Amino acid sequence: MRRRRLLTGGAALAAAASLQPALTDTAQAAPSPAAPLPSRAAVVAVLRRVADQWIGAHTDPGDNGWANATFFSGLLALQRLTGSPRYLAYARNWAEKHAYGLNGGVTTRHADNHNAGQAYLDLYEIEPEESKISAIEESLHRMVYTDQPDKNDDWWWDDALHMAMPPFARIGVLRGDPGYWQKLYALYDHTKRVEGGPGLYDAGTGLWYRDKRFLPGVPGGILSPAGKPVVWSRGNGWVAGGHAKTLKALPPAERHTGEYRDTLVRLVTAVAGIQRTDGFWNVNLADATHLPGPETSGTSFFLYGTSYAIRAGLVDRRTHLPVVARAWNGLVSTAVHPDGLLGYVQNVGDRPESSQSVTYDSTANFGVGAFLLAGTELARLAGP
């Protein structure tokens, strides 16, 4: 992808300041009262219905690309919650079909290719066998120690934080090697503060641009039809999911854990203020008129990140519990079909216009995975 002019000086300051007014205009006047959270059993029943529908419709478990790997991350989260042998067998068969390997082989540096390693690590934790994680470990080890270890610009888009932060964190824990955490932070810091000039993180709002094409002030940069910034819901959802998973893995005393924690808190606090009255979030967080309508994948990841933040004591429970209750109830009442098919998922893309239109019947493996991750985290907040 062609590199654009870096933002410096006044242009960078203008970019950092330009998003806040758009978010203010987008915020809902008064979110509707959220119905109480259902019981854990009720949440799990919905999750099982959605997972069972997907498995029943996909007897071939599919490839090991980032999208399908996200589904298996969600399925294995549900397996840990329920102990289901069916879910474990389905995930194991998928991983064995691909010999626990990575797209691009062990020399890959691409974050999308590392996403499958999350599910392999989950399966390793359930049934430890070194062969299950040899590919993901070798690939990350090369990046940390032997293959251009000073190169830190691989994560040029915000989705990468979900795909690859957690494997670096988890391998570092598993091997007791902080070198993986140092490399994780170097890659993360480039994405956050350097990529495209000012970095993809907007410090004024706590939200992230998908990649440098969307940064305000970039010549020819991408704006909404109304001339507002494009702050993609699912892109920020990937960021929320990546931070939550990384924080679950890292020791509290790891020196960058505090920054990851604070960044997640900023993000979930920001999106709480712009949640739609129906519980969803718009595909463009900075422009409610830009392809309005319910969208499941971004909403599910915000539900996941916020539920984790509540459960970990990072945000005030009383303030944020209505946010997750509203999101869950909206998803279940609007997007979950009676047979368990999950609708209103914006399919593969990089911006609000991608894979439109989004309808009641629009579904995708990664959207189901996001929903399963969200629901399993929420279930741990719910009563018996």
Side-chain angles (χ1 to χ4, degrees), residues 131-367:
S131 61
K132 294 178 179 178
I133 59 170
S134 60
I136 183 61
E137 183 173 6
E138 182 176 350
S139 186
L140 300 192
H141 186 274
R142 288 173 60 88
M143 289 182 68
V144 174
Y145 291 112
T146 65
D147 180 10
Q148 305 176 79
D150 295 327
K151 180 179 175 353
N152 295 315
D153 61 354
D154 298 281
W155 298 352
W156 52 262
W157 74 118
D158 65 0
D159 314 29
L161 302 188
H162 169 270
M163 311 305 174
M165 284 179 72
F168 276 93
R170 293 172 70 177
I171 293 291
V173 171
L174 185 63
R175 300 307 184 204
D177 185 348
Y180 289 92
W181 305 335
Q182 294 164 11
K183 182 64 174 179
L184 160 59
Y185 186 76
L187 291 158
Y188 170 86
D189 187 60
H190 178 93
T191 308
K192 187 176 187 178
R193 297 188 175 90
V194 179
E195 179 63 28
L200 303 184
Y201 178 64
D202 187 277
T205 62
L207 299 178
W208 297 66
Y209 294 101
R210 195 270 178 180
D211 59 61
K212 63 188 176 186
R213 297 170 300 165
F214 299 88
L215 289 169
V218 173
I222 298 170
L223 298 172
S224 78
K228 294 182 178 181
V230 174
V231 183
W232 192 32
S233 174
R234 186 162 73 235
N236 278 270
W238 289 126
V239 172
H243 279 77
K245 288 180 174 183
T246 300
L247 287 167
K248 285 186 174 189
L250 284 178
E254 196 280 323
R255 67 192 185 106
H256 299 298
T257 294
E259 180 178 339
Y260 301 140
R261 185 186 301 121
D262 293 345
T263 304
L264 177 62
V265 169
R266 287 289 314 282
L267 176 53
V268 301
T269 301
V271 299
I274 53 174
Q275 186 180 29
R276 291 158 47 121
T277 57
D278 61 3
F280 288 83
W281 278 269
N282 292 307
V283 289
N284 184 356
L285 301 176
D287 188 347
T289 68
H290 188 189
L291 297 165
E295 199 287 308
T296 294
S297 63
T299 295
S300 293
F301 273 120
F302 291 146
L303 171 56
Y304 175 61
T306 306
S307 296
Y308 167 76
I310 295 170
R311 196 164 70 83
L314 306 184
V315 296
D316 180 68
R317 182 183 179 97
R318 281 179 39 181
T319 301
H320 287 84
L321 202 59
V323 175
V324 297
R326 192 177 298 111
W328 175 257
N329 291 323
L331 285 163
V332 172
S333 64
T334 303
V336 178
H337 293 211
D339 69 351
L341 187 141
L342 184 70
Y344 289 111
V345 178
Q346 183 188 13
N347 219 302
V348 175
D350 63 0
R351 67 190 76 184
E353 287 86 358
S354 301
S355 299
Q356 292 289 343
S357 60
V358 177
T359 72
Y360 181 62
D361 296 316
S362 301
T363 195
N365 45 11
F366 61 87

